[in-house]
Amino acid sequence: MSGSCCNHNEADQAARAQADTVYRRVLWAVLAINAVMFVVEIGAGIASRSASLQADAVDFLGDAANYGISLFVVGYAVHIRARASLAKALTMGAFGIWVLGVAGWNMVTGATPHAYTMGIVGFSALVANAASFGLLWRFREGDSNMRSAWICTRNDVVSNIAVLLAALGVFGTGTGWPDVLVASIMGVLALQGAAVVTRQALAELRQYRVRPAE
């Protein structure tokens, strides 16, 4: 019986190691995608004076950092992964606050972005995030660390669609209000995602702390 248990444990460990290897490869792929898109979008956002493109660019940078943290903690104990998730949630929340600030500034100054640049770059960002979304789909129900990576990408897909709608709005109205509105929505999405990840990470930490006493 003990031999069977040992074999079962070894099989579980091997399966987890294989899953971690696959997850690392996926994270490297989405990390590269996000790093490239940050460079593309930040330049386009500044050139076009688009708050939503700049917000999306900073989001790409934040996601690249988050995926880097995820790569570092893959295979570590649950409490270490949960603490890393809290750090990522803090990053997501800070991004949300920053985006809302940029949107407010553009509203006050009345900046009108270039709709064509917003549309072209926004569509490229959507394709990039759709690829990341597909790669991370199988890990969406994992621990808080895996879930935070998937939530970031899910929010990005929604944000990219909103940027495209903002580009249409700017083109149709000749004002920057659609851009400000979309940037504000992106900020709220980031805050909502940060709250979700924080709750799950704290729950995992509480469970870890009570386990030794059981």
Side-chain angles (χ1 to χ4, degrees), residues 6 27 79 90 116 157 178:
C6 290
L27 287 175
H79 66 288
L90 179 62
Y116 288 111
V157 171

Side-chain angles (χ1 to χ4, degrees), residues 97-189:
I97 294 172
W98 182 86
V99 168
L100 292 175
V102 171
W105 175 255
N106 278 19
M107 181 177 64
V108 171
T109 59
T112 301
H114 301 156
Y116 288 111
T117 303
M118 289 177 63
I120 293 171
V121 178
F123 180 76
S124 300
L126 176 61
V127 172
N129 276 319
S132 298
F133 184 85
L135 288 169
L136 289 167
W137 176 261
R138 63 183 292 188
F139 303 104
R140 68 191 185 282
E141 299 296 340
D143 60 25
S144 63
N145 186 57
M146 290 183 175
R147 193 178 183 193
S148 65
W150 182 76
I151 286 176
C152 286
T153 305
R154 180 204 65 185
N155 288 352
D156 290 346
V157 171
V158 175
S159 297
N160 294 149
I161 295 173
V163 169
L164 292 176
L165 294 176
L168 289 174
V170 170
F171 178 77
T173 65
T175 69
W177 281 101
D179 186 57
V180 169
L181 177 61
V182 166
S184 299
I185 293 172
M186 292 168 69
V188 172
L189 273 175

Side-chain angles (χ1 to χ4, degrees), residues 39-125:
V39 175
V40 172
E41 266 201 318
I42 194 64
I46 294 173
S48 66
R49 296 184 298 174
S50 169
S52 58
L53 278 184
Q54 292 180 54
D56 206 30
V58 175
D59 192 23
F60 271 119
L61 179 63
D63 288 349
N66 286 339
Y67 298 141
I69 293 173
S70 295
L71 274 167
F72 179 75
V73 300
V74 169
Y76 278 72
V78 63
H79 66 288
I80 296 177
R81 299 197 305 271
R83 286 169 184 160
S85 296
L86 287 176
K88 290 193 287 184
L90 179 62
T91 301
M92 293 167 66
F95 160 74
I97 294 172
W98 182 86
V99 168
L100 292 175
V102 171
W105 175 255
N106 278 19
M107 181 177 64
V108 171
T109 59
T112 301
H114 301 156
Y116 288 111
T117 303
M118 289 177 63
I120 293 171
V121 178
F123 180 76
S124 300

Side-chain angles (χ1 to χ4, degrees), residues 78-79 202-214:
V78 63
H79 66 288
L202 290 176
E204 289 171 357
L205 285 173
R206 285 194 296 268
Q207 185 177 12
Y208 170 78
R209 287 167 183 161
V210 302
R211 189 172 298 157
E214 294 176 350

